[in-house]
């Protein structure tokens, strides 16, 4: 089985990366799509007669009502991207991989077909299409994250790699924009994406399990193409028994390292973790950084238009530059590698000192959480300076920060909480942070209205809020120190 299993694992990994890279997180390429929509006169009827033509490189193309409508669509899409993670996480936990993926394919295909057949007269359908697109995308991500379980010690690296691929799929909208400028219609591009759903269906049945990929991985585990090769009920029962035995050994091992800790972990319910201080501060950390990212992406077209003085040729150039930098798949694995290396280092220390494996796992997340906050602070500082060439650096810091954000989020929840609650906790933290992300629209309205297109005070407010996020890694570090000094304090 080893000779057959490795190629299948690799095929599953690579096709999963392609799926996340090409489809899952396209919402983050919104600025590129907005540029196309503006050229197609979507919501142009909301602008006054003095708004000026979009294609005029010297005229002022900024239209407050039009920008607000696009910002509202992005706000709704990003909200659904996160909020629906909780019910979709439950669907994944309850109904397993195949059902979750078929739901994802339905939402995604319907959304791309709606966008394909919209026009300036039916632009309001974008309010339906973009949320559906994001729901399908996040389900693709959730069902792919479990692939990390196939790679044992490299679990964190794989998880962050998939999150980086999810971020990088924003480049799809850049490709659509460039094709549009070469004469390929928006309809043709989205019909092609819709047809690609046949590949998603094939991958669902050939390269993914019907249920969940267990961790730790039991001996002779098979799925996808291999699961139907004469696998009997007896063999399946044997595999399940081996898996329970393996999990039992791991549980007993942890119990030996930390007397009394194993039983506490076993008795704790989902809600005891959901209401814990550790989860609450992680929610604050994610919500603040994510809100800043969403506000920046959702208002980028308007921001560049103001900085460029309405010169749409320069806006197009910087929009392309932003999209080209969105290859977070190149940045995210470094975060996972950092966490895996630190975990291995702390495991060696734990064997010498008798520390808990839970403390080891948690300690490995501290540098990643702190570095993510630091990168976001640098990104916010650069974005606050109204100098157009400096925005190249802003774009680079933005994509690195975002790659670290979602990779750290998934890896932290995986390492800091029991695996049986991962789907629900991941969904809950994304859903609650989605409620916070709704603030981006009133903030955008405030900038456009009372602040007269000057985001200075909003930027200062966000920088102070980002400084607050450093408290999360600090508290996790303190918790780790407490565990090392007193293993019985684990809760």
């Amino acid at each position: 089985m080893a000779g057959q299993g490795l190629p299948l694992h690799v095929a599953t990994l690579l096709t999963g990366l392609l799926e996340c890279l090409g489809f899952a997180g396209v919402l983050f390429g919104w600025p590129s799509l907005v540029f196309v929509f503006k050229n197609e006169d979507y919501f142009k009827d909301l602008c006054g007669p003095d708004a000026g033509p979009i294609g005029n490189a010297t005229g002022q193309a900024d239209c407050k009502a039009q920008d607000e409508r696009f910002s509202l669509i992005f706000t709704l899409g990003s909200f659904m991207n996160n909020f629906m993670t909780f019910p979709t996480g439950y669907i994944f936990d309850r109904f397993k991989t195949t059902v979750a993926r078929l739901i994802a394919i339905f939402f995604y295909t319907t959304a791309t077909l709606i966008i394909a057949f919209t026009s300036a007269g039916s632009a309001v359908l974008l309010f339906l299409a973009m949320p559906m697109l994001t729901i399908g995308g996040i389900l693709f991500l959730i069902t792919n994250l479990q692939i990390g379980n196939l790679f044992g010690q490299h679990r964190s690296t794989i998880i962050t790699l998939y999150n980086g691929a999810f971020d990088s799929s924003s480049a799809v909208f850049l490709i659509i924009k460039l094709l549009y400028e070469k004469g390929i219609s928006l309809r043709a591009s989205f019909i092609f994406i819709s047809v690609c759903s046949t590949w998603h269906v094939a991958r669902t049945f050939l390269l993914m399990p019907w249920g969940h990929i267990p961790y730790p991985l039991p001996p002779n585990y098979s799925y996808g193409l291999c699961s139907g090769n004469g696998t009997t009920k007896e063999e399946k029962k044997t595999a399940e028994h081996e898996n329970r035995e393996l999990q039992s050994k791991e549980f007993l091992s942890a119990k030996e390292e930390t007397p009394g800790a194993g039983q506490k972990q076993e008795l704790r319910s989902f809600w005891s973790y959901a209401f814990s201080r550790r989860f609450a501060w992680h929610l604050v950390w994610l919500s603040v950084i994510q809100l800043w990212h969403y506000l920046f992406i959702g208002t980028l077209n308007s921001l560049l238009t103001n900085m460029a003085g309405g010169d749409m040729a320069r806006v197009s150039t910087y929009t392309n530059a932003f999209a080209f930098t969105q290859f977070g798949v190149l940045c995210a694995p470094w975060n996972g590698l950092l966490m895996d290396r630190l975990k291995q280092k702390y495991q060696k220390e734990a064997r010498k000192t008798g520390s808990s494996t839970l403390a080891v796992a948690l300690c490995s997340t501290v540098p990643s959480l702190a570095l993510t906050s630091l990168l976001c602070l640098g990104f916010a500082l650069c974005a606050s300076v109204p100098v157009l060439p400096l925005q190249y650096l802003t774009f680079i810091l933005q994509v690195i920060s975002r790659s670290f954000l979602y990779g750290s989020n998934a890896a932290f929840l995986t390492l800091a909480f029991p695996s049986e609650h991962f789907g629900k906790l991941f969904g809950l933290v994304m859903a609650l942070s989605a409620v916070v992300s709704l603030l981006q629209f009133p903030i955008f309205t405030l900038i456009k209205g009372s602040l007269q297109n000057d985001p200075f005070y909003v930027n200062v407010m966000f920088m102070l809020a980002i400084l607050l996020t450093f408290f999360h890694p600090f508290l996790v570090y303190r918790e780790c120190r407490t565990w090392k000094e007193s293993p019985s304090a684990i809760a």
Side-chain angles (χ1 to χ4, degrees):
M1 182 67 196
Q4 296 175 350
L6 183 61
L8 182 63
H9 288 11
V10 173
T12 303
L13 171 67
L14 295 178
T15 53
L17 281 174
L18 182 60
E19 186 170 77
C20 288
L21 187 62
F23 303 94
V26 291
L27 176 71
F28 298 114
W30 181 245
S32 298
L33 203 57
V34 167
F35 188 89
V36 176
F37 286 149
K38 283 189 173 183
N39 274 277
E40 289 288 310
D41 293 337
Y42 282 46
F43 302 117
K44 186 65 185 295
D45 56 311
L46 299 175
C47 304
D50 58 337
I54 293 296
N56 185 354
T58 58
Q60 173 66 345
D62 188 42
C63 169
K64 178 185 174 184
Q66 186 185 39
D67 285 337
E68 284 183 346
R69 194 59 58 92
F70 284 125
S71 177
L72 186 57
I73 292 171
F74 180 79
T75 299
L76 184 60
S78 57
F79 169 77
M80 296 300 285
N81 180 65
N82 289 356
F83 185 78
M84 289 303 292
T85 310
F86 186 53
T88 52
Y90 174 79
I91 289 170
F92 175 60
D93 284 349
R94 177 70 178 83
F95 299 104
K96 314 252 180 340
T97 303
T98 300
V99 174
R101 287 184 59 80
L102 290 176
I103 292 171
I105 293 165
F106 170 76
F107 273 100
Y108 202 91
T109 307
T110 304
T112 53
L113 286 172
I114 290 173
I115 297 172
F117 290 99
T118 54
S119 61
S122 57
V124 70
L125 288 174
L126 294 176
F127 282 98
L128 173 64
M130 294 311 295
M132 292 183 73
L133 192 70
T134 56
I135 292 170
I138 200 67
L139 262 173
F140 281 142
L141 176 64
I142 289 174
T143 56
N144 278 306
L145 285 177
Q146 63 180 327
I147 292 171
N149 294 346
L150 297 172
F151 294 89
Q153 291 185 344
H154 304 291
R155 221 172 147 208
S156 296
T157 304
I158 301 300
I159 289 171
T160 53
L161 188 64
Y162 272 110
N163 278 277
F166 179 80
D167 290 341
S168 300
S169 64
S170 57
V172 170
F173 283 169
L174 168 66
I175 295 170
I176 291 173
K177 174 181 178 289
L178 294 175
L179 290 173
Y180 175 82
E181 291 173 341
K182 295 295 183 182
I184 306 297
S185 69
L186 194 66
R187 177 170 297 180
S189 294
F190 275 95
I191 287 176
F192 174 78
I193 293 175
S194 301
V195 172
C196 287
S197 292
T198 55
W199 178 74
H200 297 307
V201 174
R203 183 170 180 268
T204 298
F205 290 104
L206 299 179
L207 291 174
M208 294 295 286
W210 169 265
H212 295 137
I213 298 174
Y215 184 83
L217 207 63
N220 299 322
Y221 174 71
S222 64
Y223 65 95
L225 286 167
C226 294
S227 62
N229 294 341
T231 304
T232 64
K233 287 184 179 179
E234 287 182 13
E235 285 173 334
K236 285 181 180 178
K237 283 181 181 177
T238 303
E240 285 173 10
H241 175 71
E242 286 172 340
N243 185 33
R244 282 195 297 269
E245 206 172 65
L246 198 59
Q247 288 175 324
S248 176
K249 283 177 184 176
E250 189 182 72
F251 173 75
L252 289 171
S253 175
K255 196 173 181 181
E256 283 170 14
E257 287 179 12
T258 311
Q263 198 165 353
K264 281 187 180 179
Q265 287 291 329
E266 185 185 28
L267 292 174
R268 292 192 64 177
S269 67
F270 161 71
W271 290 111
S272 67
Y273 289 106
F275 288 110
S276 66
R277 186 181 70 173
R278 188 191 308 167
F279 184 81
W281 272 104
H282 186 67
L283 174 63
V284 171
W285 176 85
L286 175 66
S287 299
V288 170
I289 297 176
Q290 180 178 257
L291 177 59
W292 169 245
H293 277 276
Y294 279 169
L295 182 67
F296 178 79
I297 294 170
T299 61
L300 181 62
N301 185 269
S302 176
L303 178 70
L304 292 176
T305 301
N306 290 331
M307 284 189 180
D311 185 340
M312 296 311 291
R314 295 180 75 193
V315 172
S316 178
T317 300
Y318 277 87
T319 301
N320 291 349
F322 170 76
F324 274 121
T325 61
Q326 297 304 294
F327 286 93
V329 69
L330 302 176
C331 313
W334 295 105
N335 188 19
L337 285 168
L338 172 67
M339 295 177 74
D340 283 336
R341 283 292 179 89
L342 286 170
K343 190 176 177 182
Q344 289 170 20
K345 175 189 172 185
Y346 291 138
Q347 279 174 339
K348 289 178 182 177
E349 292 179 6
R351 280 192 286 268
K352 293 177 182 176
T353 60
S355 300
S356 164
T357 52
L358 295 171
V360 167
L362 202 60
C363 288
S364 67
T365 66
V366 174
S368 177
L369 295 171
L371 185 57
T372 303
S373 294
L374 185 63
L375 285 166
C376 187
L377 183 62
F379 156 47
L381 282 168
C382 290
S384 301
V385 180
V387 176
L388 207 50
L390 184 63
Q391 301 316 305
Y392 288 120
L393 178 59
T394 302
F395 298 159
I396 293 169
L397 288 173
Q398 184 269 337
V399 69
I400 297 174
S401 172
R402 197 179 76 218
S403 296
F404 270 60
L405 173 66
Y406 291 110
S408 297
N409 173 50
F412 178 80
L413 292 174
T414 301
L415 297 171
F417 300 99
S419 59
E420 62 266 24
H421 296 311
F422 171 75
K424 294 182 284 291
L425 287 172
F426 182 76
L428 182 61
V429 78
M430 296 301 279
L432 293 175
S433 66
V435 176
V436 178
S437 74
L438 289 174
L439 291 172
Q440 63 185 292
F441 183 69
I443 292 172
F444 176 76
T445 305
L446 176 68
I447 294 170
K448 282 284 185 180
S450 303
L451 298 180
Q452 298 179 340
N453 272 338
D454 183 5
F456 175 76
Y457 293 107
V458 170
N459 292 342
V460 170
M461 176 192 72
F462 268 104
M463 281 188 278
L464 292 174
I466 291 166
L467 285 173
L468 180 68
T469 64
F470 282 95
F471 204 55
H472 177 42
F474 173 71
L475 285 177
V476 174
Y477 173 73
R478 275 188 58 187
E479 197 172 354
C480 290
R481 290 294 297 269
T482 302
W483 284 9
K484 285 180 179 178
E485 292 168 6
S486 177
S488 60
I490 296 177

